[in-house]
Amino acid sequence: MAHHFDFIENIGTKKGHWRLQVYVIRAWKEMHKTNYNEFNSIELILQDIKGSRIQASIGKPFLSRHGGSIKEFVMYVMNNFIVVDKKLMPKTTENKWSLNFSNGTTVQRVHQPGFPLEPFRFCGISELITVDPLDCSQLIDVIAEVVGKEEPRDITTVTRRPTKRMALKIQDLE
């Protein structure tokens, strides 16, 4: 029996039910803005068979249900999201939309993936230098040699959290 899956490139708000077969390419915790000991959501980058990517968010109410079971570089069938325009969100993918998990969202691990995992999209340093303007929220993959570093500097985040910043000097391997 053939299964029908939607493509990420077709996602929009005109349809209410989406069925995706995707790899989780990236996963990270989005920290709470004022309480640094807890986090608000788990953010995911999903990639389908065509290589299209979209950001998905598992909000705090759904963390206990989905938060611990979803792993990077694993394929899942995911259903029933809330599709939102991510105008105000950092642009981690080129997709206009983002998916929010809801009460109806289901996630099922695929034990025999139907297409190969291709998690990286490498970008040369020369490409980064020539991009104007560089979108600092876009996730990129670079292979380079670290040839120098600055001393760590104390900084304060926009939420007034003290942290450190260290700049690395990298050199292209090409």
Side-chain angles (χ1 to χ4, degrees):
M1 179 177 137
H3 296 284
H4 171 73
F5 298 107
D6 296 299
F7 297 116
I8 288 172
E9 67 186 19
N10 296 331
I11 287 178
T13 56
K14 297 206 187 281
K15 181 177 167 184
H17 176 78
W18 298 98
R19 180 175 166 81
L20 304 176
Q21 185 177 40
V22 291
Y23 279 105
V24 175
I25 302 301
R26 304 275 189 280
W28 68 94
K29 294 176 181 175
E30 193 70 32
M31 301 309 290
H32 191 278
K33 291 181 181 178
T34 58
N35 183 351
Y36 315 124
N37 296 321
E38 66 178 75
F39 53 96
N40 266 352
S41 65
I42 294 179
E43 301 299 314
L44 308 169
I45 302 297
L46 308 178
Q47 180 176 307
D48 68 11
I49 191 169
K50 291 186 170 186
S52 298
R53 294 182 178 188
I54 193 167
Q55 184 170 343
S57 182
I58 306 171
K60 196 171 192 172
F62 312 108
L63 289 174
S64 61
R65 183 172 174 192
H66 297 293
S69 61
I70 297 176
K71 307 291 183 212
E72 287 183 323
F73 308 132
V74 175
M75 181 180 277
Y76 299 93
V77 171
M78 299 182 176
N79 295 286
N80 303 325
F81 303 95
I82 298 170
V83 178
V84 295
D85 191 335
K86 62 179 189 177
K87 289 178 191 171
L88 302 177
M89 297 173 61
K91 191 174 190 256
T92 55
T93 70
E94 294 179 9
N95 201 303
K96 171 185 177 172
W97 306 105
S98 178
L99 304 175
N100 289 349
F101 278 52
S102 69
N103 279 327
T105 303
T106 61
V107 177
Q108 183 178 5
R109 185 176 180 157
V110 175
H111 294 284
Q112 295 181 338
F115 57 93
L117 172 64
E118 296 177 6
F120 303 108
R121 292 188 178 158
F122 292 109
C123 181
I125 293 173
S126 59
E127 291 174 65
L128 292 176
I129 293 170
T130 59
V131 173
D132 187 32
L134 179 62
D135 183 353
C136 294
S137 64
Q138 189 79 28
L139 298 177
I140 56 169
D141 300 304
V142 176
I143 295 179
E145 180 179 1
V146 176
V147 295
K149 66 179 179 84
E150 284 182 358
E151 289 300 314
R153 291 184 1 199
D154 292 326
I155 63 169
T156 303
T157 66
V158 293
T159 59
R160 302 189 193 282
R161 180 179 179 201
T163 188
K164 296 203 180 272
R165 173 189 166 270
M166 181 172 64
L168 300 176
K169 183 176 180 181
I170 58 176
Q171 180 177 326
D172 208 335
L173 296 176
E174 293 179 349

